């Protein structure tokens, strides 16, 4: 009997290990915890904080897509582009350089805009880090959760949460366990380069159950696949031979996080975190299309999917850090949270603008055919041009809130919010060759040097420059009350009152005479130059936004209906006096100042939804349908008066957005997991409208004009299977991920922040398949993956900024391996 017992003991342990690992893999693939999978074989009860308190996702009457730490790790999410396809209500517009516009539910009026207010807010833990057109992209290393909240979130998340909120929530230190991991990835791109990714985490208790630190670090060298190919300049006087290179859009990411948690007792917790990230992009990931606004000189080759012609360096550097402190008290009288955060960011780029300036040169040449004395836009016939931009952002955020304890049939939350944000930006467009300092058409001195206190140069190759300052200060109080009318029927009402003060100041410099002459042209040091200190745009605003949700629940099912509002702050344009965006009391005659002010735009959201679970919580089906009215849409347009080159924001009539979002999670067996999401969005202008009707260049958009950027259909299907047998003491699994992105247009017809706009261009639908096989054990994981298996060529965004249209493209087929070693308890 003893012998038999000894013989059977290892077999029993092997079967137990086999079952445990198989269920653990299924749990990760399904987003389920190991304990739940092991005991129930059911879908996870995902906890989210979309309502500013911890709640089960299925009990929260909001359209939410959430990814847990296990899902983020398993699917190798690192950036926006890795998970945008799995969120039915989310779109990300990627234009170079360094621009990420995060958009939910179709709230996009322009593909190209330089305004400082977004329609979708991006949060890092408790702080908004939103930047319209240039959202920072936190590297997803050791992340607890991603939460995408679709629809207006104005009551709890405020300004810019007009159509949704995207939240990245980091893991916090744990004083009860010593643990960590080291992760290594290597990859290669078809027709591109090779890269690697290193990261590590260590969670160390310093005082058991009381004090712990968490250290996170990462370094990644991401490969490129775009080639800068040999080309002759448009005027045939030089070439880009010195710039020719392969895989120019390679990039480097590095940074880390240091967190400290002090668990004073069961009721009091203090968290401190410090996060740093640096992103360096060697060249832009877009291709040239050989489609110029004016004459096509025929010298650019047909580049295909992976070619560009750049005559000077392109680069993008983005560096930021965040410091944050959060104090939580879970007391008998309720839960208190006090948080403060500071965010500091510096981003800059250099961009080749040769094709852009050549378009102006061709325009000037056209004028000179009729009048040879016209000197406008003469850069010597074949200019080489570069652009430079640097933006510095600092932001302070404080929030305090209180949530009631379980009061039986009702509960409530109240909070206060404060944010101060300063942005300083300088933009310079240089002509590297094509004129001499003694030329009669000398260019302005750099207004940026003047603005920042450096000495004025007596001559400059600067064609245009601008300095932009904005100071935003806002505070708000918000709250929600939830009341159970019956055991099944609940009413939730919320509101937010806010006050916002936004100051904006611009100094632009341009060619002599191009600003309309005196009084904004100055002569100094014998060199003519013009700079236009636009009158500061100052705006104060206060208002409130409501929310009302009715929900009915039974067993594991819930239906709900919501009316909510979202807002985006208004303001005043800062512009030179003669512009339509200038001060209304300026000394220039109308139309100066007629569009100096612009109002907040708002979204009215009508939504119905259902959250359901079936077959003993093995099948989950959630769906929401919405009708949104977007009022007084803010669009950015160029002053219609020739040669001013002044941008401003103006209100546009309304648009209607209709759609639905749906999610399915299914565990037919403990080994198989199926995740499906489908979204549809249809946004278009409700009325016809004409901007600048009294000018020589009116801009008209008809009723029914589609809103840009957001695809009409989106779909995602994940299928995974984990094996019962062990291989190398680990559980094998396979994962297939299919993503479909429907068609869209790149711009709003007739309105774009570009001197030379193109008609809207359709961005065709595309789909990709990713495959992954792996081994999971209690102490290590190994993965082999192929992304974009069929090497799909996707049109991400047609960019009109540089006159010669460019196209942002997706990453080709990528093969890689990943290994993670896990240590600790």
């Amino acid at each position: 009997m003893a012998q038999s017992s000894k013989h059977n003991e290892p077999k029993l342990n092997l079967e137990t290990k086999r079952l445990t690992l198989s269920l653990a893999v299924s749990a990760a693939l399904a987003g389920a915890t190991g304990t739940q999978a092991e005991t129930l074989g059911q879908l996870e009860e995902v906890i989210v904080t979309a309502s500013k308190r911890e709640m089960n996702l299925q009990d929260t009457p909001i359209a939410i897509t959430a990814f847990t730490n296990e899902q983020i790790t398993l699917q190798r999410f690192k950036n926006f582009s890795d998970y945008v396809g799995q969120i039915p209500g989310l779109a990300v517009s990627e234009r170079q350089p360094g621009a990420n516009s995060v958009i939910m539910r179709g709230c996009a009026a322009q593909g190209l805009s330089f305004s400082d207010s977004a329609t979708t807010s991006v949060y890092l833990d408790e702080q908004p880090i939103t930047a319209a057109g240039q959202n920072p992209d936190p590297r997803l290393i050791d992340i607890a959760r991603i939460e995408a909240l679709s629809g207006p979130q104005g009551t709890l998340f405020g300004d810019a949460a007009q159509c949704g909120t995207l939240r990245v929530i980091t893991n916090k230190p744990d004083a009860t366990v010593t643990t960590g991991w080291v992760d290594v990835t290597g990859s290669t791109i078809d027709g591109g380069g090779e890269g690697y990714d290193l990261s590590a985490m260590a969670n160390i208790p310093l005082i058991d159950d009381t004090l712990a630190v968490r250290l996170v670090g990462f370094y990644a060298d991401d490969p490129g696949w775009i080639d800068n190919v040999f080309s002759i300049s448009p005027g045939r006087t030089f070439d880009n031979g010195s710039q020719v290179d392969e895989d120019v859009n390679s990039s480097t990411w590095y940074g880390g996080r240091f967190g400290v948690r002090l668990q004073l007792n069961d009721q009091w917790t203090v968290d401190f975190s410090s996060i740093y990230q640096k992103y360096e992009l060697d060249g832009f990931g877009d291709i040239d299309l050989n489609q110029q606004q004016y004459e096509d000189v025929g010298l650019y080759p047909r580049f295909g999917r992976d070619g560009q012609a750049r005559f000077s360096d392109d680069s993008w550097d983005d560096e930021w850090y965040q410091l944050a402190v959060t104090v939580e008290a879970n007391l008998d009288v309720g839960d208190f949270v006090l948080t403060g955060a500071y965010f500091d960011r510096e981003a800059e780029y250099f961009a080749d603008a040769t094709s852009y300036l050549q378009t102006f040169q061709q325009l000037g040449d056209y004028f000179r055919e009729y009048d040879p004395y016209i000197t406008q836009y003469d850069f010597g016939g074949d200019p080489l041009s570069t652009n430079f931009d640097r933006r510095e952002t600092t932001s302070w955020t404080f929030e305090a809130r209180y949530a009631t304890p379980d009061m039986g049939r009702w509960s409530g939350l109240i909070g206060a919010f404060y944010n101060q944000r300063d942005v300083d930006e300088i933009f310079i467009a240089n002509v590297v060759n094509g004129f001499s300092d003694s030329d009669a058409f000398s260019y302005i001195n750099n207004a940026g040097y003047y603005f920042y206190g450096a000495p004025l140069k007596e001559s400059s190759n600067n064609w245009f420059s601008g300095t932009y300052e904005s100071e935003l200060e806002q505070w708000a109080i918000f709250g929600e009350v939830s009341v159970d009318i019956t055991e099944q029927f609940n009413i939730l009402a919320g509101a937010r009152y806010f006050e916002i003060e936004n100051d904006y100041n611009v100094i632009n410099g341009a060619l002599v005479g191009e600003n309309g002459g005196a009084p904004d042209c100055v002569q100094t040091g014998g060199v003519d130059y013009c700079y236009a200190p636009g009158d500061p745009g100052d705006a104060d605003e206060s208002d409130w936004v409501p929310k009302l949700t009715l929900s009915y629940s039974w067993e594991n099912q819930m239906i709900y209906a919501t009316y909510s509002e979202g807002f985006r702050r208004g303001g005043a344009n800062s512009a030179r006096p003669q512009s339509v965006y200038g001060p209304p009391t300026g000394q220039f005659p109308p139309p100066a100042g007629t569009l100096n002010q612009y109002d907040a735009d708002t979204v009215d959201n009508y939504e119905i939804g259902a959250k359901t679970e079936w077959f003993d919580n093995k099948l989950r089906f959630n769906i929401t349908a919405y009708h949104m009215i977007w009022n007084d849409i803010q669009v950015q347009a160029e002053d219609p008066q020739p040669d001013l080159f002044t941008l401003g924001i103006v209100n546009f009539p309304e648009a209607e957005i209709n759609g639905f979002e749906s999610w399915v999670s299914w565990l037919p067996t403990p080994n198989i997991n199926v995740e499906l999401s489908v979204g549809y969005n249809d946004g278009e202008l409700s009325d016809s409208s004409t901007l600048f009707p009294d000018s020589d260049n009116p801009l008209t958009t008809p009723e029914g004009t589609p809103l840009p950027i957001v695809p009409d259909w989106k779909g995602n299907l994940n299928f995974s299977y984990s094996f019962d047998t062990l291989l190398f003491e680990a559980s094998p699994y396979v994962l297939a991920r299919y993503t479909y992105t429907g068609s869209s247009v790149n711009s709003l017809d007739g309105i774009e922040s570009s001197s030379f706009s193109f008609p809207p261009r359709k961005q065709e639908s595309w789909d990709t398949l990713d495959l992954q096989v792996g081994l999971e054990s209690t102490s290590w994981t190994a993965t082999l993956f192929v992304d974009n298996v069929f090497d799909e060529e996707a049109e991400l965004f047609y960019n009109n900024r540089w006159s010669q249209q460019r196209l942002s493209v997706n990453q080709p087929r990528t093969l890689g391996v990943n290994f993670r070693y896990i240590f600790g308890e």
Side-chain angles (χ1 to χ4, degrees):
M1 181 69 68
Q3 186 177 0
S4 175
S5 175
K6 289 180 181 180
H7 177 75
N8 289 332
E9 184 176 355
K11 182 178 180 180
L12 179 62
N13 288 340
L14 180 61
E15 292 299 326
T16 302
K17 178 182 288 188
R18 186 176 292 137
L19 175 63
T20 301
L21 290 174
S22 176
L23 290 171
V25 172
S26 295
L29 296 170
T33 62
T35 301
Q36 290 167 323
E38 187 173 343
T39 58
L40 301 175
Q42 297 177 337
L43 292 165
E44 178 191 9
E45 182 184 78
V46 180
I47 302 301
V48 295
T49 54
S51 59
K52 299 278 188 177
R53 62 172 77 196
E54 291 187 353
M55 290 185 64
N56 178 7
L57 181 146
Q58 291 300 104
D59 297 332
T60 307
I62 302 174
I64 306 174
T65 304
F67 299 105
T68 64
N69 175 270
E70 292 83 0
Q71 292 170 307
I72 294 168
T73 301
L74 179 73
Q75 298 195 59
R76 301 171 285 105
F77 293 162
K78 292 295 188 294
N79 310 309
F80 288 142
S81 58
D82 294 331
Y83 60 86
V84 61
Q86 299 193 45
I87 301 176
L90 179 66
V92 174
S93 169
E94 296 187 30
R95 66 169 175 83
Q96 305 293 336
N100 288 305
S101 296
V102 178
I103 302 160
M104 283 190 173
R105 288 201 176 169
C107 291
Q110 293 174 285
L112 183 62
S113 177
F114 305 98
S115 65
D116 69 339
S117 185
T119 62
T120 299
S121 60
V122 179
Y123 271 69
L124 179 58
D125 287 327
E126 297 286 344
Q127 184 179 31
I129 59 172
T130 316
Q134 287 192 5
N135 275 296
D137 194 352
R139 193 80 168 173
L140 302 179
I141 308 297
D142 192 41
I143 299 300
R145 235 172 19 260
I146 298 171
E147 295 180 5
L149 319 180
S150 293
Q153 307 295 325
T155 54
L156 293 183
F157 294 95
D159 175 42
Q162 186 181 42
C163 294
T165 297
L166 181 66
R167 307 181 66 210
V168 178
I169 302 167
T170 61
N171 277 317
K172 304 302 185 293
D174 185 347
T176 66
V177 62
T178 299
T179 186
W181 47 259
V182 177
D183 191 284
V184 181
T185 300
S187 62
T188 181
I189 297 177
D190 274 12
E194 295 79 35
Y196 61 90
D197 189 331
L198 308 174
S199 59
M201 183 278 291
N203 185 92
I204 306 170
L206 301 180
I207 302 176
D208 287 346
D209 300 327
T210 302
L211 181 66
V213 297
R214 196 177 189 96
L215 304 173
V216 179
F218 61 90
Y219 184 94
D221 189 351
D222 286 350
W225 67 93
I226 303 294
D227 298 336
N228 192 15
V229 301
F230 180 82
S231 297
I232 302 173
S233 68
R236 304 172 184 259
T237 64
F238 59 92
D239 59 52
N240 69 340
S242 62
Q243 302 294 324
V244 169
D245 199 2
E246 295 182 344
D247 310 328
V248 296
N249 63 319
S250 60
S251 61
T252 302
W253 302 72
Y254 55 91
R257 187 170 79 247
F258 173 70
V260 178
R261 166 163 285 190
L262 177 61
Q263 189 77 49
L264 296 174
N265 51 44
D266 291 340
Q267 295 179 316
W268 288 88
T269 303
V270 180
D271 279 311
F272 168 79
S273 69
S274 173
I275 306 174
Y276 171 81
Q277 179 173 297
K278 180 70 179 288
Y279 172 49
E280 299 174 343
L281 178 64
D282 299 327
F284 299 160
D286 53 10
I287 62 176
D288 294 325
L289 298 175
N290 193 29
Q291 296 168 353
Q292 292 177 276
Q293 180 72 9
Y294 288 90
E295 178 189 3
D296 184 343
V297 296
L299 298 176
Y300 292 106
R302 296 291 176 181
F303 296 113
R305 177 184 183 177
D306 57 0
Q308 59 180 220
R310 306 295 159 82
F311 296 88
S312 60
D313 289 335
D314 288 341
S315 66
W316 164 258
D317 288 349
D318 188 2
E319 183 177 28
W320 56 265
Y321 67 89
Q322 183 199 59
L323 304 174
V325 177
T326 300
V327 180
E328 296 186 53
N330 305 119
L331 307 178
D332 295 338
V333 296
D335 298 335
F336 296 84
V337 177
L338 177 64
T339 182
Y342 174 75
F343 182 77
D344 187 291
R345 182 189 188 196
E346 181 174 316
E348 68 177 38
Y349 69 79
F350 288 89
D352 176 64
T354 298
S355 63
Y356 180 69
L357 220 63
Q358 180 61 218
T359 306
F360 281 97
Q361 177 72 47
Q362 292 181 11
L363 179 62
D365 292 343
Y366 173 81
F367 290 151
R368 281 183 286 278
E369 288 183 5
Y370 298 93
D371 185 351
Y373 295 101
I374 292 178
T375 60
Q376 194 176 19
Y377 311 136
D378 189 354
F379 306 100
D382 193 20
L384 171 65
S385 177
T386 63
N387 285 357
F388 170 76
D389 185 278
R390 176 187 291 130
R391 179 185 295 188
E392 299 177 3
T393 303
T394 59
S395 178
W396 290 92
T397 303
F398 300 94
E399 184 170 296
R401 59 182 184 266
Y402 162 72
T404 65
D406 185 3
M407 305 295 289
R409 298 181 62 174
W410 73 277
S411 62
L413 178 145
I414 188 171
F417 172 86
Y418 174 83
N419 173 247
Q420 178 180 323
R421 192 196 68 174
D422 297 320
V423 180
D424 295 314
E425 182 174 6
I426 178 172
F427 172 80
I428 302 170
N430 285 326
V431 183
V432 179
N433 64 8
F435 66 93
S436 67
D437 292 342
S438 60
D439 195 329
F441 315 123
S442 294
Y443 290 77
I444 63 168
N445 282 303
N446 188 330
Y449 287 114
Y450 176 83
F451 183 77
Y452 285 110
L456 287 167
K457 296 189 292 185
E458 289 198 357
S459 62
S460 170
N461 64 347
N462 179 251
W463 174 52
F464 180 87
S465 64
T467 59
Y468 310 87
E469 272 192 332
S470 68
E471 297 179 3
L472 172 69
E473 187 172 15
Q474 58 178 320
W475 67 269
I477 55 174
F478 59 89
E480 289 186 345
V481 176
S482 176
V483 180
D484 292 331
I485 304 302
T486 69
E487 290 185 357
Q488 296 173 310
F489 179 56
N490 176 271
I491 297 179
L492 183 148
R496 184 185 191 96
Y497 174 82
F498 62 89
E499 290 192 3
I500 298 176
E501 180 178 339
N502 193 17
D503 299 333
Y504 193 63
N505 189 44
V506 175
I507 296 180
N508 281 336
L511 294 174
V512 172
E514 295 303 307
N515 287 316
D520 62 327
C521 285
V522 180
Q523 190 173 57
T524 183
V527 177
D528 289 331
Y529 70 101
C530 278
Y531 69 92
D535 288 69
D538 302 327
D540 297 335
E541 184 175 8
S542 62
D543 206 341
W544 70 286
V545 289
K547 176 182 179 180
L548 179 66
T549 298
L550 311 179
S551 61
Y552 185 83
S553 304
W554 70 102
E555 296 180 351
N556 291 329
Q557 325 297 338
M558 178 177 67
I559 57 175
Y560 64 91
T562 294
Y563 171 77
S564 59
E565 294 183 9
F567 70 98
R568 178 170 54 163
R569 64 181 181 270
N573 294 301
S574 175
R576 58 198 69 182
Q578 69 271 32
S579 170
V580 295
Y581 301 120
T585 58
Q587 54 188 303
F588 288 86
T594 55
L595 296 175
N596 179 251
Q597 300 280 332
Y598 59 93
D599 299 326
D601 57 355
T602 60
V603 168
D604 301 327
N605 176 56
Y606 303 86
E607 180 175 346
I608 57 173
K611 295 192 171 184
T612 66
E613 293 178 344
W614 308 87
F615 309 118
D616 194 24
N617 196 17
K618 291 181 173 60
L619 175 66
R620 179 177 298 160
F621 173 64
N622 297 343
I623 188 169
T624 184
Y626 54 87
H627 169 71
M628 304 199 308
I629 302 173
W630 192 2
N631 306 292
D632 299 322
I633 304 172
Q634 295 175 19
V635 296
Q636 191 173 57
E638 192 168 296
D639 191 305
Q641 301 172 83
D643 307 330
L644 281 179
F645 299 108
T646 297
L647 293 174
I649 298 174
V650 62
N651 292 106
F652 213 57
E654 71 178 33
E656 291 188 1
I657 304 173
N658 299 299
F660 74 87
E661 301 161 8
S662 60
W663 304 261
V664 175
S665 297
W666 183 32
L667 282 176
T669 73
N671 301 80
I672 297 175
N673 177 62
V674 179
E675 300 279 345
L676 172 69
S677 67
V678 177
Y680 173 75
N681 187 278
D682 178 24
E684 60 182 34
L685 297 182
S686 309
D687 300 299
S688 299
S689 181
T690 300
L691 287 180
F692 320 124
D694 299 327
S695 74
D696 295 332
N697 300 291
L699 300 176
T700 300
T701 53
E703 178 183 352
T705 298
L707 299 181
I709 303 302
V710 178
D712 49 4
W713 285 95
K714 287 189 68 179
N716 174 255
L717 175 63
N718 285 5
F719 174 85
S720 60
Y721 181 82
S722 58
F723 296 85
D724 290 330
T725 58
L726 294 181
L727 181 63
F728 304 116
E729 296 295 307
S731 178
Y733 72 88
V734 295
L735 170 66
R737 179 173 60 217
Y738 172 80
T739 302
Y740 173 83
T741 301
S743 62
S744 61
V745 294
N746 72 324
S747 65
L748 188 68
D749 192 8
I751 299 177
E752 192 169 31
S753 301
S754 175
S755 299
F756 300 95
S757 61
F758 289 72
R761 182 152 185 172
K762 184 178 181 180
Q763 295 160 166
E764 298 292 346
S765 62
W766 54 281
D767 57 353
T768 58
L769 176 67
D770 304 329
L771 297 178
Q772 179 173 319
V773 297
L775 297 171
E776 296 255 356
S777 81
T778 55
S779 59
W780 59 270
T781 67
T783 304
L784 173 67
F785 60 88
V786 182
D787 293 338
N788 194 5
V789 173
F790 298 109
D791 203 21
E792 174 78 359
E793 300 181 15
E795 301 171 350
L796 300 182
F797 181 63
Y798 283 96
N799 184 1
N800 298 334
R801 180 179 181 185
W802 306 103
S803 296
Q804 178 185 330
Q805 199 169 60
R806 298 177 180 179
L807 173 63
S808 297
V809 294
N810 67 321
Q811 185 167 309
R813 182 189 299 114
T814 302
L815 174 68
V817 294
N818 169 264
F819 180 81
R820 172 173 289 208
Y821 176 73
I822 305 163
F823 60 87
E825 301 177 19

